[in-house]
Amino acid sequence: MCCAQEYTRCSYKYFVHGKGIATSQCYDKDGRWGKAKAYDRTGKEIYSRELRTVGGHSYVEFSYYDRSGAVKTARWSSAPDGGIQWYRSYTEFSEDGKIVNETKDSYDDGPGTF
């Protein structure tokens, strides 16, 4: 992405009882480029990844704590140009927004599993 983007197409997940944004996934007006972010209860950004639906893919799947709505896990996948290169990570968070575990796997590191 060469230039600053305006991300106008957003979806949000909120903490229980609507007390702040837990995660956001926003794309540009064409739905091609974007950013995924997660926040703790104070509104501090705790996770961020680039998103894209062109030149391969890059996406994030979040899961949440039932009790609070806080982000529990973030599963990221990226395959530039849809070719043989691929990257992925799995990040686990405590309910207060701290990273407690992170696993990374990529084409560069050889075959692996989660």
Side-chain angles (χ1 to χ4, degrees):
M1 200 161 36
C2 74
C3 310
Q5 295 288 332
E6 204 174 310
Y7 302 118
T8 56
R9 296 176 45 190
C10 298
S11 62
Y12 301 99
K13 297 290 183 180
Y14 297 90
F15 289 101
V16 172
H17 306 297
K19 296 185 178 183
I21 297 171
T23 62
S24 66
Q25 293 196 44
C26 297
Y27 286 90
D28 64 15
K29 67 180 177 63
D30 298 316
R32 295 180 180 175
W33 301 96
K35 286 198 182 257
K37 295 182 179 187
Y39 306 89
D40 67 14
R41 286 193 164 280
T42 68
K44 177 183 171 199
E45 185 180 303
I46 58 171
Y47 181 88
S48 179
R49 290 284 187 190
E50 299 287 329
L51 303 173
R52 74 178 177 285
T53 59
V54 296
H57 74 268
S58 179
Y59 66 86
V60 176
E61 295 174 338
F62 291 112
S63 71
Y64 305 88
Y65 286 97
D66 290 335
R67 188 170 58 110
S68 66
V71 65
K72 185 175 185 178
T73 64
R75 185 181 301 267
W76 171 71
S77 175
S78 176
D81 295 327
I84 61 172
Q85 296 174 329
W86 51 270
Y87 306 90
R88 59 187 176 196
S89 67
Y90 180 77
T91 307
E92 295 177 77
F93 300 88
S94 63
E95 207 158 357
D96 64 354
K98 305 238 183 325
I99 294 175
V100 295
N101 186 36
E102 187 168 35
T103 304
K104 296 179 181 181
D105 194 14
S106 75
Y107 170 82
D108 298 335
D109 298 329
T113 59
F114 283 104

